[in-house]
Amino acid sequence: MLSQLIIQGINDGTFPNKNFQGAAIGNGFLNVKYLLNSIVLWSAYHGRIGNGIDYIGDNSTCGQLLNPLITNPSQMYPYNYYQDCYDYALIESPARRPPVRSEGQFQGTSSISKNTATLINYISTDNQWGYPCWNEVAVAEYANRGDVQDALHIPDAWRKQANGTFMWTDCNDKIYKNYHNTFNTTNAFFDYVLKNVKTPNFRILIYNGDVDTVCNYLGDSWHMRDVAAAANLKSSPRQPWYFSRNNQLAGFNQRYSGRSGAGADVSIDVLTVKGAGHMVPFDRPGPAVQMITNFMFPTNQGVDYSSTANVNPEPEGTEFANDATVGQAGSQVVCVKHNTN
């Protein structure tokens, strides 16, 4: 929608900067029907449902079949299928702070010694110590500090709601549940952009973490396939892309290319980030930086997501790199620097 408005402004002279070169959308809610239909296949391929998906009895309805797939079981984090959470995720909570469970909280890495058995996280199935989940608590603590809200000019009237106990959270469930979609697909916006853009070598990046169940990669890829077909763009073979000097597989990319209705060269990359959920930079920070940097700074041959020419996948560490222990006290993240003298 924003891209459409910018292109309208460039073409009618009301937008002063004509150098609009492209747009990137991460884990976008692009097509309601496709995202719901694709989660059936996605769930089957990830072991969430059994063979019953292949058979619908005479008295069954599509809704009865779909409902268990869009209703998450207890402790399942919908934004990353493989991510464990130690606390109630604030992104799903009401505005008031939820109670925090004491069991299973992150205990830090202070017990790490030469015994490699201490490196194993015995209370989780993941390998990142639940960082993306419990870090939400730290974000909420920060955003609810008085000095932070002063700096952001948050009105006193908002802060005094519910006798001053109203809390900031990532999302507001009340607004979400009462929101009515104006558009069930984004086809019209993509169609306008691809018909009217005049900027040479205009590019679009649609990327998805491949274990997000809210805006899954399969539904978005179906949608962009339709968008590309409507614009008469040609598809290239689906290719893997790689991260770091060890060429670790980082995901896959499907490219569509051709000309816009106004005669400009255009390309659409539909890309997955392996192992990432809805919050791609959280789950795969290195590949995310490499991906977006290469999108912004293409080579003479176009965008190469495997290139490390403009990004260092192994940046130098900070002064804390070799002597810091990260832990959690309650909901506060603590960094302790050890004295090595």
Side-chain angles (χ1 to χ4, degrees):
M1 185 178 293
L2 177 59
S3 296
Q4 175 179 329
L5 292 175
I6 293 175
I7 290 173
Q8 284 177 339
I10 291 174
N11 290 347
D12 65 20
T14 59
F15 191 80
N17 191 336
K18 297 183 179 181
N19 297 320
F20 181 46
Q21 196 64 60
I25 300 174
N27 289 73
F29 197 63
L30 303 181
N31 187 307
V32 175
K33 182 178 74 173
Y34 280 169
L35 287 173
L36 286 176
N37 287 347
S38 59
I39 198 62
V40 177
L41 292 176
W42 195 100
S43 297
Y45 298 153
H46 287 78
R48 188 177 169 190
I49 53 179
N51 292 331
I53 193 67
D54 298 324
Y55 174 76
I56 301 176
D58 293 338
N59 296 322
S60 298
T61 65
C62 180
Q64 290 172 327
L65 185 64
L66 190 60
N67 186 62
L69 303 181
I70 60 178
T71 303
N72 297 310
S74 175
Q75 293 297 91
M76 176 180 168
Y77 188 56
Y79 298 95
N80 186 323
Y81 185 69
Y82 296 110
Q83 177 64 57
D84 283 359
C85 285
Y86 297 96
D87 303 326
Y88 290 101
L90 293 184
I91 200 168
E92 297 177 292
S93 73
R96 295 178 183 274
R97 178 180 299 284
V100 178
R101 294 188 297 273
S102 60
E103 70 274 10
Q105 285 190 337
F106 179 73
Q107 300 299 319
T109 57
S110 59
S111 63
I112 290 179
S113 66
K114 294 182 180 179
N115 183 354
T116 56
T118 63
L119 298 174
I120 299 174
N121 184 357
Y122 292 101
I123 60 174
S124 174
T125 66
D126 74 352
N127 64 351
Q128 298 181 29
W129 295 84
Y131 171 76
C133 278
W134 61 255
N135 192 54
E136 286 188 22
V137 180
V139 172
E141 290 285 348
Y142 178 78
N144 282 299
R145 281 172 41 175
D147 57 339
V148 173
Q149 294 188 358
D150 287 341
L152 295 174
H153 305 289
I154 304 300
D156 285 339
W158 186 92
R159 303 193 212 187
K160 292 178 180 178
Q161 295 179 88
N163 296 320
T165 62
F166 200 77
M167 306 293 291
W168 177 92
T169 56
D170 298 56
C171 295
N172 188 306
D173 282 353
K174 184 176 181 180
I175 293 177
Y176 177 80
K177 291 176 180 178
N178 288 281
Y179 179 80
H180 297 283
N181 283 342
T182 305
F183 301 96
N184 289 323
T185 77
T186 53
N187 293 76
F189 305 110
F190 283 105
D191 290 348
Y192 181 92
V193 168
L194 293 172
K195 287 178 180 177
N196 294 280
V197 66
K198 300 177 181 179
T199 309
N201 300 315
F202 188 85
R203 54 194 182 274
I204 296 173
L205 169 62
I206 305 296
Y207 67 91
N208 291 77
D210 62 6
V211 292
D212 177 19
T213 68
V214 178
C215 299
N216 71 82
Y217 78 92
L218 188 57
D220 280 350
S221 68
W222 289 350
H223 176 73
M224 296 312 299
R225 173 200 60 195
D226 291 355
V227 167
N232 294 316
L233 303 183
K234 295 182 178 180
S235 63
S236 300
R238 189 175 181 84
Q239 299 287 345
W241 67 282
Y242 298 92
F243 169 71
S244 89
R245 61 186 176 89
N246 285 333
N247 284 330
Q248 297 297 305
L249 180 66
F252 296 87
N253 180 40
Q254 175 74 59
R255 178 165 294 171
Y256 301 94
S257 57
R259 286 186 173 273
S260 72
D265 290 331
V266 296
S267 65
I268 300 175
D269 287 329
V270 183
L271 179 145
T272 63
V273 181
K274 182 173 71 73
H278 194 73
M279 292 73 160
V280 170
F282 237 166
D283 296 336
R284 292 293 183 267
V289 171
Q290 181 175 302
M291 170 195 68
I292 201 67
T293 301
N294 285 322
F295 173 71
M296 295 174 64
F297 303 101
T299 67
N300 292 332
Q301 289 73 41
V303 179
D304 177 9
Y305 293 101
S306 299
S307 172
T308 58
N310 296 308
V311 63
N312 180 10
E314 299 178 44
E316 295 182 4
T318 67
E319 60 178 309
F320 299 104
N322 297 319
D323 59 356
T325 298
V326 178
Q328 183 186 25
S331 58
Q332 297 288 335
V333 177
V334 180
C335 183
V336 180
K337 183 177 181 181
H338 298 291
N339 187 347
T340 57
N341 295 330

